[in-house]
Amino acid sequence: MAKNIAVLGNGYVGLLAAVGLADFGNTCIGVDVNQQKIDSLNKGISPIYEPGVEEYLRRNLASGRLRFTTNAAEAIRMSQVLFITVGTPQMDNGDADLSFLKQVVETIAQNLNEYKVVVTKSTVPVGTNRWILETLTNAGFTAGIDFDVVSNPEFLREGRATQDFFHPDRTVIGCESPRAQAIMEDVYRALNLISVPFIWCDLETAELIKYASNAFLATKISFINEMANLAEAVGADIHQVAKAMGMDGRINPKFLHPGPGYGGSCFPKDTAALVHLGNKHRVPMRVVQSAIEANIKQKERMLDKLKLLVSWALHTDVDHIGSNPLEGKTIAVLGLAFKQETDDIRESPALDIVQGLLLSGAKVRAHDPKAMTNFSKIFPQVTYCTTAYDAVEEADVVMLLTEWNEYRSLDLDRIGRSVSHKIILDTRNILDPDDVLEKGFLYDGVGRGLIGKQVRMTHSPIHA
Ligand code: UGA
Protein backbone atom coordinates (compact mmCIF):
# COMPACT_ATOMS: atom_id res chain seq x y z
CA MET A 1 0.00 0.00 0.00
CA ALA A 2 1.34 3.44 -0.95
CA LYS A 3 2.34 5.68 1.96
CA ASN A 4 2.06 9.32 3.00
CA ILE A 5 5.60 10.64 3.04
CA ALA A 6 7.21 13.91 4.15
CA VAL A 7 10.62 14.66 2.62
CA LEU A 8 12.39 17.08 4.96
CA GLY A 9 14.95 19.18 3.10
CA ASN A 10 14.64 19.72 -0.64
CA GLY A 11 18.19 20.06 -1.83
CA TYR A 12 19.58 17.60 -4.31
CA VAL A 13 18.82 14.35 -2.50
CA GLY A 14 15.48 15.58 -1.13
CA LEU A 15 14.17 16.74 -4.48
CA LEU A 16 15.02 13.43 -6.13
CA ALA A 17 13.50 11.50 -3.21
CA ALA A 18 10.29 13.57 -3.31
CA VAL A 19 9.71 13.22 -7.06
CA GLY A 20 10.90 9.61 -7.14
CA LEU A 21 8.84 8.38 -4.19
CA ALA A 22 5.77 10.17 -5.58
CA ASP A 23 6.38 8.52 -8.94
CA PHE A 24 6.34 5.14 -7.14
CA GLY A 25 2.73 5.96 -6.20
CA ASN A 26 3.28 7.38 -2.70
CA THR A 27 1.86 10.75 -1.66
CA CYS A 28 4.75 13.10 -0.91
CA ILE A 29 5.10 16.50 0.70
CA GLY A 30 8.49 18.11 0.17
CA VAL A 31 9.49 20.50 2.97
CA ASP A 32 12.11 23.22 2.91
CA VAL A 33 12.77 26.43 4.85
CA ASN A 34 13.40 28.38 1.64
CA GLN A 35 10.06 29.87 0.51
CA GLN A 36 11.43 30.89 -2.89
CA LYS A 37 12.55 27.32 -3.57
CA ILE A 38 9.17 25.94 -2.50
CA ASP A 39 7.30 28.39 -4.77
CA SER A 40 9.45 27.44 -7.70
CA LEU A 41 9.07 23.69 -7.04
CA ASN A 42 5.28 24.03 -6.80
CA LYS A 43 5.39 25.65 -10.25
CA GLY A 44 7.35 22.68 -11.59
CA ILE A 45 10.66 24.55 -11.83
CA SER A 46 13.70 22.73 -10.47
CA PRO A 47 16.23 24.93 -8.61
CA ILE A 48 19.04 22.62 -9.78
CA TYR A 49 20.03 21.43 -13.23
CA GLU A 50 19.59 17.67 -13.37
CA PRO A 51 18.57 15.92 -16.59
CA GLY A 52 15.00 14.57 -16.42
CA VAL A 53 14.13 15.89 -12.98
CA GLU A 54 11.74 18.62 -14.13
CA GLU A 55 9.78 16.14 -16.20
CA TYR A 56 9.24 13.93 -13.14
CA LEU A 57 8.52 16.99 -11.00
CA ARG A 58 5.78 18.25 -13.32
CA ARG A 59 4.28 14.84 -13.89
CA ASN A 60 3.92 14.15 -10.18
CA LEU A 61 2.68 17.65 -9.32
CA ALA A 62 0.01 17.13 -11.98
CA SER A 63 -0.93 13.73 -10.52
CA GLY A 64 -1.72 15.40 -7.19
CA ARG A 65 0.64 13.04 -5.33
CA LEU A 66 3.34 15.69 -4.84
CA ARG A 67 3.42 19.15 -3.31
CA PHE A 68 5.92 21.34 -1.51
CA THR A 69 5.56 23.44 1.63
CA THR A 70 7.52 25.34 4.26
CA ASN A 71 5.20 24.05 6.98
CA ALA A 72 7.28 21.22 8.45
CA ALA A 73 5.01 20.62 11.45
CA GLU A 74 1.93 20.05 9.29
CA ALA A 75 3.82 17.80 6.84
CA ILE A 76 5.22 15.69 9.72
CA ARG A 77 1.85 15.31 11.41
CA MET A 78 0.16 14.24 8.17
CA SER A 79 2.79 11.67 7.17
CA GLN A 80 3.57 8.16 8.32
CA VAL A 81 7.05 8.08 6.82
CA LEU A 82 9.49 10.97 7.29
CA PHE A 83 12.58 11.13 5.08
CA ILE A 84 15.38 13.33 6.44
CA THR A 85 17.26 14.74 3.43
CA VAL A 86 18.98 17.85 4.78
CA GLY A 87 22.58 18.73 3.94
CA THR A 88 25.44 17.55 6.17
CA PRO A 89 28.27 19.84 5.05
CA GLN A 90 31.87 19.38 6.07
CA MET A 91 33.22 21.23 9.10
CA ASP A 92 36.81 22.45 9.44
CA ASN A 93 37.85 19.32 11.35
CA GLY A 94 36.55 17.06 8.54
CA ASP A 95 33.51 15.90 10.51
CA ALA A 96 29.99 16.31 9.11
CA ASP A 97 27.99 19.28 10.37
CA LEU A 98 24.74 17.85 11.76
CA SER A 99 23.12 21.13 12.77
CA PHE A 100 20.42 21.00 10.04
CA LEU A 101 19.70 17.38 10.88
CA LYS A 102 19.42 18.17 14.60
CA GLN A 103 16.90 20.93 13.87
CA VAL A 104 14.80 18.53 11.82
CA VAL A 105 14.91 15.85 14.53
CA GLU A 106 13.78 18.44 17.06
CA THR A 107 10.84 19.43 14.83
CA ILE A 108 9.95 15.75 14.43
CA ALA A 109 10.10 15.27 18.21
CA GLN A 110 7.70 18.18 18.69
CA ASN A 111 5.23 16.78 16.17
CA LEU A 112 5.18 13.05 16.89
CA ASN A 113 1.40 12.69 16.90
CA GLU A 114 1.21 8.98 15.96
CA TYR A 115 3.47 6.06 14.91
CA LYS A 116 6.00 7.11 12.28
CA VAL A 117 9.04 5.73 10.52
CA VAL A 118 11.90 8.25 10.48
CA VAL A 119 14.20 7.49 7.56
CA THR A 120 17.62 9.15 7.24
CA LYS A 121 18.75 9.61 3.65
CA SER A 122 21.28 12.36 4.35
CA THR A 123 24.84 11.04 4.55
CA VAL A 124 25.51 10.95 8.29
CA PRO A 125 28.42 9.71 10.41
CA VAL A 126 28.06 6.23 11.83
CA GLY A 127 26.12 6.48 15.08
CA THR A 128 23.83 9.31 14.00
CA ASN A 129 20.76 7.14 13.50
CA ARG A 130 21.29 5.60 16.94
CA TRP A 131 21.42 9.15 18.31
CA ILE A 132 18.15 10.01 16.49
CA LEU A 133 16.58 6.90 18.00
CA GLU A 134 17.62 7.94 21.50
CA THR A 135 16.57 11.55 21.04
CA LEU A 136 13.14 10.59 19.74
CA THR A 137 12.81 7.90 22.39
CA ASN A 138 13.08 10.59 25.04
CA ALA A 139 10.54 12.78 23.23
CA GLY A 140 8.28 9.84 22.34
CA PHE A 141 8.41 8.46 25.87
CA THR A 142 6.81 11.58 27.31
CA ALA A 143 4.22 11.66 24.56
CA GLY A 144 3.71 7.89 24.71
CA ILE A 145 4.09 7.54 20.96
CA ASP A 146 5.83 4.77 19.10
CA PHE A 147 8.16 5.23 16.13
CA ASP A 148 11.05 3.55 14.30
CA VAL A 149 14.31 4.89 12.89
CA VAL A 150 15.65 3.63 9.55
CA SER A 151 18.90 4.41 7.71
CA ASN A 152 18.48 4.47 3.94
CA PRO A 153 21.63 5.94 2.36
CA GLU A 154 21.57 7.43 -1.10
CA PHE A 155 23.77 6.34 -4.02
CA LEU A 156 22.66 8.83 -6.69
CA ARG A 157 25.19 10.34 -9.03
CA GLU A 158 24.62 13.94 -10.06
CA GLY A 159 23.85 14.17 -13.74
CA ARG A 160 22.38 10.65 -13.71
CA ALA A 161 20.27 10.91 -10.61
CA THR A 162 16.87 10.08 -12.13
CA GLN A 163 18.25 6.97 -13.77
CA ASP A 164 19.99 5.97 -10.51
CA PHE A 165 16.84 6.59 -8.48
CA PHE A 166 14.64 4.37 -10.63
CA HIS A 167 17.27 1.73 -11.41
CA PRO A 168 19.63 1.49 -8.43
CA ASP A 169 22.28 -1.25 -8.23
CA ARG A 170 21.00 -1.95 -4.72
CA THR A 171 18.90 -0.40 -1.98
CA VAL A 172 20.38 -0.39 1.51
CA ILE A 173 18.01 -0.24 4.47
CA GLY A 174 19.23 -0.23 8.03
CA CYS A 175 16.12 -1.24 9.91
CA GLU A 176 15.74 -3.02 13.21
CA SER A 177 11.95 -3.47 13.44
CA PRO A 178 9.64 -5.76 11.43
CA ARG A 179 6.92 -3.08 11.51
CA ALA A 180 9.19 -0.49 9.86
CA GLN A 181 10.48 -3.11 7.41
CA ALA A 182 6.94 -3.81 6.19
CA ILE A 183 6.39 -0.06 5.68
CA MET A 184 9.69 0.40 3.83
CA GLU A 185 8.80 -2.54 1.58
CA ASP A 186 5.60 -0.69 0.66
CA VAL A 187 7.44 2.60 0.05
CA TYR A 188 9.84 0.86 -2.34
CA ARG A 189 7.42 -1.70 -3.81
CA ALA A 190 8.16 -0.38 -7.32
CA LEU A 191 11.85 -1.32 -6.95
CA ASN A 192 10.99 -4.76 -5.62
CA LEU A 193 8.93 -5.36 -8.74
CA ILE A 194 11.99 -4.81 -10.94
CA SER A 195 14.10 -7.11 -8.72
CA VAL A 196 16.43 -4.49 -7.29
CA PRO A 197 18.46 -6.22 -4.53
CA PHE A 198 17.66 -5.01 -1.01
CA ILE A 199 20.25 -5.13 1.76
CA TRP A 200 18.50 -5.22 5.14
CA CYS A 201 20.90 -4.56 7.99
CA ASP A 202 21.34 -2.68 11.25
CA LEU A 203 21.68 1.10 11.46
CA GLU A 204 25.46 1.27 11.82
CA THR A 205 26.05 -1.15 8.96
CA ALA A 206 23.87 0.90 6.61
CA GLU A 207 25.67 4.10 7.58
CA LEU A 208 29.09 2.56 7.04
CA ILE A 209 28.10 1.05 3.67
CA LYS A 210 27.57 4.59 2.36
CA TYR A 211 30.96 5.90 3.54
CA ALA A 212 32.80 2.75 2.51
CA SER A 213 31.29 2.92 -0.99
CA ASN A 214 32.16 6.57 -1.59
CA ALA A 215 35.62 6.22 -0.07
CA PHE A 216 36.34 3.15 -2.18
CA LEU A 217 35.32 4.94 -5.39
CA ALA A 218 37.37 8.01 -4.45
CA THR A 219 40.35 5.74 -3.73
CA LYS A 220 39.90 4.01 -7.07
CA ILE A 221 40.08 7.39 -8.81
CA SER A 222 43.14 8.49 -6.86
CA PHE A 223 44.76 5.15 -7.64
CA ILE A 224 44.23 5.48 -11.38
CA ASN A 225 45.34 9.13 -11.29
CA GLU A 226 48.62 8.16 -9.63
CA MET A 227 49.03 5.31 -12.09
CA ALA A 228 48.39 7.83 -14.90
CA ASN A 229 51.14 10.05 -13.56
CA LEU A 230 53.50 7.08 -13.52
CA ALA A 231 52.39 6.14 -17.03
CA GLU A 232 53.48 9.63 -18.16
CA ALA A 233 56.88 9.15 -16.59
CA VAL A 234 57.49 5.72 -18.11
CA GLY A 235 55.86 6.37 -21.49
CA ALA A 236 52.83 4.06 -21.06
CA ASP A 237 49.22 4.71 -22.10
CA ILE A 238 46.94 4.77 -19.04
CA HIS A 239 43.80 4.04 -21.08
CA GLN A 240 45.14 0.72 -22.19
CA VAL A 241 46.35 0.01 -18.67
CA ALA A 242 42.89 0.84 -17.24
CA LYS A 243 41.08 -1.13 -19.93
CA ALA A 244 43.14 -4.24 -19.32
CA MET A 245 42.86 -3.86 -15.54
CA GLY A 246 39.08 -3.47 -15.83
CA MET A 247 38.76 -6.70 -17.78
CA ASP A 248 39.60 -8.48 -14.56
CA GLY A 249 36.15 -9.00 -13.08
CA ARG A 250 37.57 -8.43 -9.60
CA ILE A 251 38.67 -4.92 -10.56
CA ASN A 252 35.81 -3.77 -12.86
CA PRO A 253 36.33 -1.08 -15.54
CA LYS A 254 34.25 1.69 -13.91
CA PHE A 255 35.84 4.64 -12.11
CA LEU A 256 39.21 4.04 -13.69
CA HIS A 257 39.13 7.20 -15.78
CA PRO A 258 42.04 9.51 -14.95
CA GLY A 259 41.49 13.22 -14.69
CA PRO A 260 42.17 16.42 -12.75
CA GLY A 261 41.05 14.86 -9.44
CA TYR A 262 37.62 14.07 -8.10
CA GLY A 263 35.30 16.81 -6.89
CA GLY A 264 31.64 17.23 -6.06
CA SER A 265 29.63 17.52 -2.88
CA CYS A 266 30.24 13.92 -1.80
CA PHE A 267 33.66 12.32 -2.27
CA PRO A 268 35.75 15.13 -0.72
CA LYS A 269 33.32 15.57 2.19
CA ASP A 270 32.68 11.88 2.83
CA THR A 271 36.34 10.81 2.68
CA ALA A 272 37.21 13.56 5.17
CA ALA A 273 34.36 12.46 7.44
CA LEU A 274 35.51 8.84 7.27
CA VAL A 275 39.05 9.78 8.25
CA HIS A 276 37.63 11.81 11.12
CA LEU A 277 35.47 8.88 12.22
CA GLY A 278 38.47 6.52 12.07
CA ASN A 279 40.55 8.89 14.20
CA LYS A 280 37.71 9.20 16.69
CA HIS A 281 37.68 5.43 17.11
CA ARG A 282 41.50 5.16 16.95
CA VAL A 283 41.36 3.21 13.70
CA PRO A 284 43.40 5.32 11.27
CA MET A 285 42.02 5.31 7.72
CA ARG A 286 45.45 5.41 6.07
CA VAL A 287 44.34 4.32 2.61
CA VAL A 288 41.55 6.89 2.44
CA GLN A 289 43.83 9.60 3.85
CA SER A 290 46.30 8.85 1.04
CA ALA A 291 43.52 9.02 -1.54
CA ILE A 292 42.61 12.49 -0.23
CA GLU A 293 46.21 13.67 -0.41
CA ALA A 294 46.72 12.24 -3.89
CA ASN A 295 43.59 14.08 -5.02
CA ILE A 296 44.89 17.42 -3.77
CA LYS A 297 48.19 16.82 -5.58
CA GLN A 298 46.39 15.83 -8.77
CA LYS A 299 44.73 19.24 -9.03
CA GLU A 300 48.07 20.97 -8.46
CA ARG A 301 49.65 18.73 -11.08
CA MET A 302 47.28 20.05 -13.75
CA LEU A 303 48.66 23.55 -13.23
CA ASP A 304 52.22 22.25 -13.34
CA LYS A 305 51.45 20.45 -16.60
CA LEU A 306 50.09 23.64 -18.11
CA LYS A 307 53.17 25.58 -17.02
CA LEU A 308 55.43 22.97 -18.60
CA LEU A 309 53.47 23.02 -21.85
CA VAL A 310 53.60 26.80 -22.08
CA SER A 311 57.29 26.93 -21.11
CA TRP A 312 58.18 24.38 -23.69
CA ALA A 313 56.18 26.11 -26.39
CA LEU A 314 57.64 29.50 -25.56
CA HIS A 315 61.22 28.38 -24.86
CA THR A 316 61.03 29.59 -21.26
CA ASP A 317 62.69 27.69 -18.50
CA VAL A 318 60.10 26.62 -15.97
CA ASP A 319 62.76 25.72 -13.42
CA HIS A 320 64.35 29.12 -13.64
CA ILE A 321 63.86 30.86 -10.29
CA GLY A 322 61.12 33.42 -10.58
CA SER A 323 60.06 32.29 -14.03
CA ASN A 324 56.32 32.14 -14.41
CA PRO A 325 55.23 31.13 -17.89
CA LEU A 326 51.56 31.84 -17.15
CA GLU A 327 52.04 35.46 -16.14
CA GLY A 328 50.17 37.74 -18.51
CA LYS A 329 48.77 34.82 -20.51
CA THR A 330 45.08 34.40 -21.25
CA ILE A 331 43.83 30.89 -20.58
CA ALA A 332 40.59 29.63 -22.11
CA VAL A 333 39.08 27.29 -19.51
CA LEU A 334 36.47 24.94 -20.95
CA GLY A 335 34.34 23.37 -18.22
CA LEU A 336 33.80 24.52 -14.65
CA ALA A 337 31.39 21.94 -13.22
CA PHE A 338 32.90 19.07 -11.21
CA LYS A 339 31.70 16.73 -13.94
CA GLN A 340 29.43 16.84 -16.96
CA GLU A 341 25.62 17.15 -16.87
CA THR A 342 25.50 19.25 -13.73
CA ASP A 343 25.69 22.93 -12.77
CA ASP A 344 27.31 21.93 -9.47
CA ILE A 345 30.76 23.40 -8.84
CA ARG A 346 31.20 22.22 -5.26
CA GLU A 347 34.82 21.05 -4.80
CA SER A 348 35.21 21.16 -8.56
CA PRO A 349 38.87 20.86 -9.63
CA ALA A 350 38.15 24.01 -11.67
CA LEU A 351 37.96 26.05 -8.44
CA ASP A 352 41.55 25.29 -7.44
CA ILE A 353 42.86 25.41 -10.97
CA VAL A 354 41.28 28.77 -11.84
CA GLN A 355 42.47 30.14 -8.51
CA GLY A 356 45.99 28.93 -9.35
CA LEU A 357 45.83 30.51 -12.81
CA LEU A 358 44.76 33.85 -11.40
CA LEU A 359 47.45 33.73 -8.71
CA SER A 360 49.99 33.07 -11.47
CA GLY A 361 48.98 36.33 -13.09
CA ALA A 362 47.00 34.75 -15.94
CA LYS A 363 43.66 35.99 -17.20
CA VAL A 364 40.85 33.45 -17.53
CA ARG A 365 38.16 33.30 -20.21
CA ALA A 366 35.77 30.54 -19.20
CA HIS A 367 32.88 28.60 -20.65
CA ASP A 368 30.61 25.95 -19.19
CA PRO A 369 27.19 24.96 -20.57
CA LYS A 370 25.53 25.07 -17.10
CA ALA A 371 27.86 26.09 -14.31
CA MET A 372 28.90 29.67 -15.15
CA THR A 373 26.32 31.36 -12.92
CA ASN A 374 27.46 29.38 -9.89
CA PHE A 375 31.14 29.89 -10.71
CA SER A 376 30.78 33.63 -11.25
CA LYS A 377 29.61 34.04 -7.65
CA ILE A 378 33.07 32.91 -6.49
CA PHE A 379 35.20 34.25 -9.35
CA PRO A 380 33.63 37.49 -10.65
CA GLN A 381 37.00 38.48 -12.16
CA VAL A 382 36.84 35.70 -14.77
CA THR A 383 35.42 36.55 -18.21
CA TYR A 384 32.46 34.27 -18.88
CA CYS A 385 31.75 33.44 -22.51
CA THR A 386 28.58 32.19 -24.14
CA THR A 387 30.31 29.53 -26.24
CA ALA A 388 33.53 27.57 -26.13
CA TYR A 389 34.59 29.42 -29.30
CA ASP A 390 34.10 32.81 -27.60
CA ALA A 391 36.28 31.60 -24.74
CA VAL A 392 39.19 30.66 -26.98
CA GLU A 393 39.00 33.94 -28.92
CA GLU A 394 42.22 35.84 -28.21
CA ALA A 395 43.28 33.26 -25.63
CA ASP A 396 46.85 32.00 -25.54
CA VAL A 397 46.15 28.48 -24.37
CA VAL A 398 43.17 26.12 -23.99
CA MET A 399 42.58 24.09 -20.84
CA LEU A 400 39.78 21.54 -20.82
CA LEU A 401 38.47 20.83 -17.32
CA THR A 402 35.04 19.15 -17.63
CA GLU A 403 34.09 16.33 -19.97
CA TRP A 404 30.97 17.94 -21.47
CA ASN A 405 29.93 16.15 -24.66
CA GLU A 406 29.98 19.36 -26.66
CA TYR A 407 33.75 19.65 -26.06
CA ARG A 408 34.36 16.23 -27.59
CA SER A 409 33.67 17.46 -31.08
CA LEU A 410 35.18 20.95 -31.05
CA ASP A 411 36.19 22.41 -34.40
CA LEU A 412 39.95 22.34 -33.89
CA ASP A 413 40.68 24.32 -37.05
CA ARG A 414 38.49 27.13 -35.76
CA ILE A 415 40.19 27.01 -32.36
CA GLY A 416 43.59 26.98 -34.02
CA ARG A 417 42.71 30.23 -35.85
CA SER A 418 41.53 31.92 -32.61
CA VAL A 419 44.27 31.15 -30.13
CA SER A 420 47.65 32.79 -30.18
CA HIS A 421 49.47 29.58 -29.21
CA LYS A 422 48.17 26.23 -30.33
CA ILE A 423 48.33 24.52 -26.95
CA ILE A 424 45.62 22.32 -25.42
CA LEU A 425 45.76 20.67 -22.02
CA ASP A 426 42.93 18.14 -21.92
CA THR A 427 42.62 17.12 -18.26
CA ARG A 428 39.76 14.72 -19.06
CA ASN A 429 41.33 12.94 -22.04
CA ILE A 430 38.26 13.52 -24.20
CA LEU A 431 40.01 14.60 -27.39
CA ASP A 432 41.65 12.19 -29.80
CA PRO A 433 45.40 12.88 -29.53
CA ASP A 434 46.00 11.95 -33.18
CA ASP A 435 43.40 14.51 -34.34
CA VAL A 436 44.75 17.28 -32.16
CA LEU A 437 48.38 16.63 -33.04
CA GLU A 438 47.55 16.42 -36.73
CA LYS A 439 46.06 19.94 -36.51
CA GLY A 440 49.43 21.21 -35.27
CA PHE A 441 48.63 21.66 -31.59
CA LEU A 442 50.94 21.02 -28.72
CA TYR A 443 48.70 18.72 -26.72
CA ASP A 444 48.74 16.90 -23.44
CA GLY A 445 46.23 14.83 -21.52
CA VAL A 446 46.59 12.76 -18.36
CA GLY A 447 48.58 9.55 -18.32
CA ARG A 448 49.27 9.21 -22.01
CA GLY A 449 52.93 10.15 -22.18
CA LEU A 450 52.10 12.52 -25.01
CA ILE A 451 54.59 15.21 -24.26
CA GLY A 452 57.46 12.74 -24.32
CA LYS A 453 56.32 11.56 -27.74
CA GLN A 454 56.03 15.11 -29.08
CA VAL A 455 59.47 15.96 -27.77
CA ARG A 456 60.85 12.89 -29.50
CA MET A 457 58.99 13.73 -32.73
CA THR A 458 60.28 17.25 -33.02
CA HIS A 459 62.98 19.33 -31.44
CA SER A 460 61.31 22.59 -32.20
CA PRO A 461 58.42 23.69 -29.99
CA ILE A 462 55.16 24.31 -31.78
CA HIS A 463 54.02 27.85 -32.32
CA ALA A 464 50.89 29.11 -33.95
C1 UGA B 1 29.03 10.16 -5.92
C2 UGA B 1 28.79 8.64 -6.01
O1 UGA B 1 29.18 8.16 -7.29
C3 UGA B 1 27.31 8.33 -5.78
O2 UGA B 1 27.12 6.93 -5.76
C4 UGA B 1 26.90 8.92 -4.41
O3 UGA B 1 25.52 8.72 -4.17
C5 UGA B 1 27.17 10.41 -4.42
O4 UGA B 1 28.57 10.64 -4.66
C6 UGA B 1 26.77 10.93 -3.07
O5 UGA B 1 27.35 10.51 -2.05
O6 UGA B 1 25.77 11.65 -2.99
P1 UGA B 1 28.71 12.21 -7.61
O7 UGA B 1 29.50 13.00 -6.61
O8 UGA B 1 27.45 12.79 -8.12
O9 UGA B 1 28.33 10.77 -6.99
O10 UGA B 1 29.62 11.97 -8.87
P2 UGA B 1 30.57 10.82 -9.46
O11 UGA B 1 30.03 10.43 -10.78
O12 UGA B 1 30.79 9.75 -8.49
O13 UGA B 1 31.92 11.63 -9.70
C7 UGA B 1 32.65 12.20 -8.63
C8 UGA B 1 33.94 12.81 -9.11
O14 UGA B 1 34.83 11.79 -9.54
C9 UGA B 1 33.78 13.75 -10.31
O15 UGA B 1 34.60 14.87 -10.14
C10 UGA B 1 34.23 12.92 -11.49
O16 UGA B 1 34.70 13.67 -12.56
C11 UGA B 1 35.33 12.09 -10.85
N1 UGA B 1 35.61 10.82 -11.55
C12 UGA B 1 34.66 9.84 -11.61
C13 UGA B 1 36.87 10.62 -12.11
O17 UGA B 1 37.75 11.50 -12.06
N2 UGA B 1 37.12 9.43 -12.72
C14 UGA B 1 36.22 8.43 -12.81
O18 UGA B 1 36.53 7.35 -13.38
C15 UGA B 1 34.95 8.65 -12.23
Side-chain angles (χ1 to χ4, degrees):
M1 205 177 67
K3 299 292 170 205
N4 288 330
I5 298 175
V7 179
L8 305 163
N10 284 151
Y12 201 88
V13 172
L15 173 57
L16 265 298
V19 297
L21 294 169
D23 212 71
F24 288 162
N26 300 293
T27 301
C28 285
I29 312 178
V31 182
D32 204 281
V33 287
N34 183 335
Q35 183 69 54
Q36 215 181 342
K37 190 192 274 183
I38 291 300
D39 292 344
S40 127
L41 286 167
N42 276 325
K43 286 184 202 137
I45 301 164
S46 167
I48 49 158
Y49 171 72
E50 176 64 38
V53 82
E54 261 184 10
E55 200 185 312
Y56 281 104
L57 174 64
R58 288 177 190 170
R59 175 161 114 191
N60 287 289
L61 286 170
S63 75
R65 288 194 306 273
L66 178 64
R67 71 181 172 90
F68 295 88
T69 178
T70 52
N71 190 338
E74 183 203 40
I76 291 168
R77 297 179 86 80
M78 286 173 65
S79 306
Q80 189 181 23
V81 186
L82 312 176
F83 274 81
I84 301 178
T85 50
V86 289
T88 52
Q90 187 181 329
M91 295 193 294
D92 288 343
N93 67 359
D95 201 3
D97 177 355
L98 295 180
S99 47
F100 297 125
L101 180 127
K102 286 182 177 168
Q103 277 166 29
V104 168
V105 171
E106 200 180 310
T107 314
I108 294 174
Q110 288 158 1
N111 291 283
L112 265 185
N113 55 337
E114 56 189 2
Y115 172 79
K116 295 186 195 296
V117 182
V118 179
V119 186
T120 310
K121 230 181 204 322
S122 306
T123 301
V124 290
V126 181
T128 306
N129 278 287
R130 195 69 59 196
W131 171 85
I132 297 175
L133 187 63
E134 281 159 16
T135 306
L136 291 180
T137 301
N138 295 338
F141 181 73
T142 16
I145 295 191
D146 203 5
F147 65 89
D148 279 303
V149 170
V150 163
S151 168
N152 174 211
E154 192 52 78
F155 300 100
L156 305 178
R157 286 163 298 178
E158 292 189 23
R160 305 180 71 160
T162 49
Q163 188 193 323
D164 285 349
F165 193 92
F166 294 107
H167 299 280
D169 289 342
R170 77 304 205 188
T171 295
V172 173
I173 306 191
C175 173
E176 298 173 357
S177 113
R179 187 178 182 187
Q181 176 161 347
I183 289 172
M184 292 306 287
E185 279 169 357
D186 277 345
V187 166
Y188 282 120
R189 189 154 303 282
L191 294 184
N192 244 326
L193 293 175
I194 55 167
S195 303
V196 169
F198 276 68
I199 309 292
W200 298 95
C201 53
D202 60 38
L203 297 174
E204 287 76 12
T205 303
E207 291 168 331
L208 191 55
I209 288 171
K210 168 70 189 189
Y211 279 105
S213 302
N214 272 3
F216 187 81
L217 292 171
T219 305
K220 209 172 172 190
I221 298 168
S222 275
F223 179 89
I224 202 66
N225 282 341
E226 279 202 334
M227 215 43 69
N229 300 342
L230 186 60
E232 285 174 5
V234 299
D237 179 343
I238 194 62
H239 284 287
Q240 283 187 296
V241 173
K243 190 174 169 188
M245 281 173 66
M247 283 172 179
D248 185 329
R250 294 168 301 175
I251 296 177
N252 174 300
K254 293 178 187 164
F255 275 65
L256 283 181
H257 193 87
Y262 59 76
S265 65
C266 305
F267 287 175
K269 165 174 82 75
D270 295 349
T271 46
L274 192 60
V275 168
H276 183 86
L277 184 74
N279 289 341
K280 200 167 131 187
H281 291 273
R282 294 168 201 255
V283 183
M285 296 285 105
R286 294 190 183 91
V287 173
V288 180
Q289 179 61 38
S290 299
I292 296 171
E293 285 162 19
N295 197 53
I296 294 166
K297 291 284 167 213
Q298 192 67 6
K299 293 186 260 186
E300 290 170 9
R301 191 176 165 93
M302 297 303 113
L303 269 176
D304 292 343
K305 278 165 94 64
L306 189 73
K307 284 180 186 164
L308 267 176
L309 273 177
V310 174
S311 306
W312 192 57
L314 305 181
H315 301 282
T316 49
D317 177 5
V318 77
D319 292 327
H320 180 72
I321 294 169
S323 90
N324 175 7
L326 298 182
E327 179 145 33
K329 298 283 176 302
T330 300
I331 316 296
V333 169
L334 304 186
L336 301 169
F338 81 98
K339 64 175 191 178
Q340 66 169 335
E341 292 301 337
T342 179
D343 60 359
D344 198 341
I345 58 157
R346 284 175 288 177
E347 299 290 329
S348 173
L351 291 168
D352 290 322
I353 292 169
V354 166
Q355 171 82 346
L357 292 172
L358 295 172
L359 286 175
S360 299
K363 292 198 187 79
V364 175
R365 291 174 65 80
H367 172 261
D368 187 287
K370 297 288 174 196
M372 289 196 289
T373 308
N374 286 337
F375 211 84
S376 64
K377 289 176 195 154
I378 300 173
F379 289 105
Q381 66 274 56
V382 164
T383 305
Y384 295 93
C385 306
T386 44
T387 68
Y389 297 108
D390 285 344
V392 301
E393 202 63 49
E394 290 168 27
D396 292 300
V397 181
V398 180
M399 200 176 186
L400 229 149
L401 292 187
T402 312
E403 72 281 29
W404 285 98
N405 277 340
E406 67 173 81
Y407 300 151
R408 291 175 197 268
S409 52
L410 289 168
D411 180 343
L412 294 172
D413 289 321
R414 188 169 164 191
I415 292 180
R417 287 192 297 273
S418 302
V419 289
S420 56
H421 299 96
K422 291 173 83 170
I423 304 171
I424 298 183
L425 176 59
D426 173 9
T427 68
R428 299 283 185 166
N429 289 355
I430 59 171
L431 302 179
D432 179 343
D434 291 338
D435 280 356
V436 193
L437 295 176
E438 198 188 297
K439 305 279 180 194
F441 283 87
L442 178 61
Y443 172 70
D444 199 12
V446 179
R448 289 162 142 182
L450 289 168
I451 285 304
K453 282 177 195 146
Q454 287 165 84
V455 173
R456 283 194 291 277
M457 272 163 52
T458 170
H459 294 296
S460 62
I462 297 163
H463 291 274

